[in-house]
Amino acid sequence: MQSSVLAGLGSPIAAIGTTASTIVTICAAVTGVTVLVRGVASRSRRDIARKLKICWQVGPDVEQTGALAYNESKESFEEVVLTVTCGLRGREVRRDIGLLRSGQDYLWAGPLVHDAIAAKRSDRPVVVEAGETHITKPHGVQATFRNGKAFWFRDEEQTGRVDELVIWAEKTRAVTLKRYFGRRSAFKRAYPVSVTVRAFERTEALEQAFTTLAATGDPSPEHGIPDIVVGPHDWIGRVAREESVVEPPISRSWTRRIAPAALDALSRNDRLYAIPYVFDSVALIRNDTLAGTGPMPRTLVEAVEAGTEVMRGKDITGGMPVALQVGAPDANGNAGDPYHMWPLFSSLGGSFFGYQDSGRFDDISDWRDRFVEAFTRLAEFGGDGVLPPALGRTEALELFLGGRAPFFICSSRGLAAIRARGMKVTVAAVPAAGHHAARSMVSAYGFYIYEGGLNIPAARDLVSSYVAQPKAGLDLNRIQPLVPVQQDAMSRVAERDAALAPYVDQCRTGLVMPSWPEMREAWKLIGRTEYRVLAGDGDPRQLAEEAATQGWELLREARGAD
């Protein structure tokens, strides 16, 4: 019976099988046609890109000799950037051409190319020889440009599509950016270029790598060459002096949406050097499960006393009443953490070597005594064990996350890890340690376009078309709770996020970090002094006196001294 039933179904099954086979064949054919069409379209776009002709032209005289770009296609090429390599001098220089219409050519004359090379800052001296002999010798010429949605690279031998941009970032921000630019993101579905984010353990390591790359041109074996570097605004003085970044494109309609403090922070001499990304500052965070939900401490002493009482009542060992990162010296001479310490230091009367909001400096005779007294009083917190000098960022965060520190002084970067643990917290301004108002430092992070990057047009398009838009601030905030730089987004975040609202307030009222070229050394000086006075490594008054003198001399140019 069973075999006859199956036999009866044979024809229908065979028919279904035939139909299925036909469908599969059709689908395969359609897929094949789609792939073929895409392949033809890709070759067509590449063929059009090849019609941008570039070379080092040798003309009848020096004024007609130089880097030539000629568009022999029937389409316009946008965001064209020429790069010329002078082998004799071992230098590269770039020039923006912008739009190159069909049939249009552009000549970057040899004398102007070599003027640009001579003007480019370098630790290696550049000797520019007179005469036509060298100018008439071949130079390397490359171009990057956009055709439609795609970006292309062109030299005298090959043409390639730009498929990837590389971003360098400190590891905490790298996590956020990887999600924002990731494969499943809305960004990836809309943008023709993939973004790879390479992480550095700390901002100091990132800055050191970027500085070395800008000085030598040698790529990092581990991180390669970046197109974009995400860093704080106190780099501005240095990168402007080194000419290691390309100014991003901006528009008035865009700048009206950005907080003026962010634009000012990332500018120097009225030139914007990076697209603002996020603000950051420092606040006091309380573990409500441990310490309750009453009013927040009004002074550091109150926070320490409340934290100590909680630890005693809950029998917490191996913890701290208030966790604050400081940090022992590392191999690069960094120690302490002035940024996180600043609200306490300012409340004790300290200043950044007399620097004021107006951008001017008080005379050293006006601030020196308060500076020394602030460090002397800060040393007392180290001697009492309230601020252990060896406690670094990772250790401080782990104490709070592990329920061994009722209070935590931290930047907004710490909120992501806190929320990942599901902790109930309250956030407020850092309370004063002294008789003055506690005032936090404010930093603005930006997207710097590396001058030596391989894909400058694509990098500029990325930061202007996507990252700089108002929606980006809220999208990035949803991934990681940080303070956006867009004014509307700042207000919306403050309304909906009680934990981030105090950080928004700090970013609006705090002291924006100065950004002179000497900032790295100035931070190191204050950080080492912070660590030593807390560690009891010498007389705190003498250490502070020495730091005041050294800082005043270090910032001689910044304060306009003769």
Side-chain angles (χ1 to χ4, degrees):
M1 176 66 72
Q2 184 178 17
S3 60
S4 63
V5 171
L6 290 174
L9 291 174
S11 295
I13 290 174
I16 292 171
T18 301
T19 302
S21 176
T22 302
I23 291 172
V24 170
T25 301
I26 292 172
C27 288
V30 171
T31 302
V33 170
T34 302
V35 171
L36 178 61
V37 170
R38 286 177 178 172
V40 171
S42 177
R43 286 195 295 273
S44 176
R45 288 191 294 268
R46 187 178 296 273
D47 289 341
I48 293 172
R50 287 195 181 107
K51 292 185 181 293
L52 177 64
K53 303 299 183 181
I54 58 172
C55 68
W56 184 261
Q57 170 182 280
V58 178
D61 55 51
V62 294
E63 297 303 326
Q64 298 180 60
T65 295
L68 177 68
Y70 171 60
N71 181 3
E72 66 174 25
S73 78
K74 295 181 180 180
E75 300 184 9
S76 294
F77 295 134
E78 299 174 284
E79 300 182 48
V80 181
V81 176
L82 272 184
T83 300
V84 178
T85 303
C86 177
L88 177 64
R89 299 177 178 88
R91 301 300 302 279
E92 283 186 349
V93 286
R94 288 181 172 82
R95 168 164 285 194
D96 282 319
I97 296 177
L99 180 67
L100 198 64
R101 293 186 172 86
S102 174
Q104 183 180 3
D105 62 17
Y106 182 92
L107 177 68
W108 189 6
L112 298 179
V113 170
H114 289 90
D115 285 347
I117 291 172
K120 191 171 182 180
R121 184 182 180 276
S122 173
D123 293 332
R124 301 187 298 270
V126 176
V127 179
V128 179
E129 301 144 346
E132 303 178 12
T133 305
H134 172 66
I135 287 180
T136 57
K137 292 180 180 179
H139 289 59
V141 182
Q142 300 173 347
T144 49
F145 57 98
R146 185 170 75 174
N147 176 229
K149 291 184 177 180
F151 291 89
W152 297 87
F153 163 84
R154 183 87 168 91
D155 64 17
E156 295 174 68
E157 298 180 357
Q158 60 184 344
T159 302
R161 182 167 175 168
V162 176
D163 296 318
E164 179 190 48
L165 288 171
V166 175
I167 294 179
W168 282 4
E170 176 270 334
K171 67 176 183 179
T172 306
R173 304 190 189 283
V175 170
T176 301
L177 295 172
K178 284 179 180 179
R179 287 184 59 188
Y180 182 76
F181 294 121
R183 291 182 179 180
R184 298 180 180 178
S185 66
F187 166 85
K188 178 59 180 172
R189 292 192 294 271
Y191 202 67
V193 180
S194 296
V195 175
T196 297
V197 182
R198 297 195 173 131
F200 287 75
E201 187 65 25
R202 297 199 61 171
T203 301
E204 292 83 0
L206 170 63
E207 182 181 17
Q208 184 62 51
F210 188 28
T211 302
T212 301
L213 176 65
T216 66
D218 298 329
S220 162
E222 182 180 356
H223 298 93
I225 297 177
D227 297 292
I228 297 168
V229 180
V230 179
H233 78 269
D234 62 338
W235 292 4
I236 288 292
R238 178 178 55 77
V239 300
R241 184 172 64 184
E242 294 174 352
E243 298 181 354
S244 57
V245 300
V246 175
E247 293 175 48
I250 58 174
S251 67
R252 288 185 179 179
S253 61
W254 171 77
T255 55
R256 284 197 296 267
R257 302 188 187 106
I258 304 298
L263 294 171
D264 291 344
L266 288 162
S267 300
R268 188 173 179 83
N269 298 326
D270 296 323
R271 296 169 64 183
L272 184 69
Y273 282 90
I275 291 291
Y277 162 37
V278 291
F279 279 122
D280 206 357
S281 193
V282 178
L284 178 70
I285 306 175
R286 180 182 64 197
N287 182 333
D288 291 345
T289 303
L290 286 179
T293 58
M296 290 289 278
R298 293 171 298 176
T299 67
L300 179 63
V301 171
E302 285 185 11
V304 172
E305 290 175 348
T308 301
E309 184 177 344
V310 168
M311 293 175 62
R312 187 182 301 115
K314 296 186 179 294
D315 197 26
I316 297 173
T317 59
M320 295 293 303
V322 179
L324 171 66
Q325 65 188 64
V326 181
D330 64 16
N332 295 317
N334 299 298
D337 193 318
Y339 183 75
H340 284 80
M341 176 268 297
W342 201 260
L344 305 180
F345 185 68
S346 63
S347 74
L348 293 168
S351 70
F352 201 91
F353 304 109
Y355 178 74
Q356 299 298 320
D357 282 358
S358 63
R360 297 183 179 182
F361 287 81
D362 289 338
D363 187 77
I364 188 171
S365 61
D366 294 328
W367 60 265
R368 185 185 192 113
D369 289 347
R370 294 193 300 274
F371 181 90
V372 172
E373 184 62 24
F375 270 119
T376 303
R377 293 192 59 193
L378 190 69
E380 297 172 6
F381 291 102
D384 293 341
V386 173
L387 301 177
L391 191 70
R393 180 173 71 179
T394 301
E395 296 80 9
L397 179 60
E398 288 176 351
L399 282 177
F400 189 73
L401 295 178
R404 291 181 292 135
F407 293 94
F408 185 29
I409 295 176
C410 182
S411 67
S412 60
R413 286 185 298 178
L415 289 177
I418 292 169
R419 287 181 172 170
R421 296 288 183 96
M423 299 175 69
K424 295 181 179 180
V425 299
T426 298
V427 182
V430 177
H435 300 300
H436 301 270
R439 195 175 185 201
S440 296
M441 281 275 193
V442 177
S443 57
Y445 278 72
F447 287 87
Y448 295 87
I449 301 171
Y450 173 45
E451 187 271 341
L454 304 178
N455 307 302
I456 288 177
R460 286 196 294 200
D461 182 71
L462 174 70
V463 299
S464 61
S465 298
Y466 287 85
V467 180
Q469 299 309 308
K471 186 174 179 291
L474 293 174
D475 288 344
L476 289 163
N477 175 264
R478 290 187 186 98
I479 298 173
Q480 184 182 9
L482 298 171
V483 180
V485 294
Q486 295 86 355
Q487 297 190 84
D488 180 62
M490 286 179 73
S491 298
R492 292 171 66 179
V493 164
E495 291 173 0
R496 75 184 188 194
D497 191 331
L500 201 56
Y503 286 102
V504 174
D505 289 340
Q506 297 301 304
C507 291
R508 285 173 169 160
T509 62
L511 175 66
V512 177
M513 285 194 302
S515 57
W516 313 295
E518 304 84 4
M519 278 303 296
R520 182 195 296 169
E521 292 306 316
W523 276 125
K524 280 185 178 181
L525 176 58
I526 292 183
R528 286 194 300 264
T529 306
E530 174 197 7
Y531 173 81
R532 292 186 67 185
V533 300
L534 289 174
D537 181 20
D539 176 64
R541 188 169 294 278
Q542 182 179 348
L543 292 172
E545 289 278 6
E546 292 172 357
T549 300
Q550 292 173 31
W552 189 244
E553 287 303 311
L554 175 66
L555 299 176
R556 188 178 187 84
E557 181 179 343
R559 56 190 173 83
D562 296 332

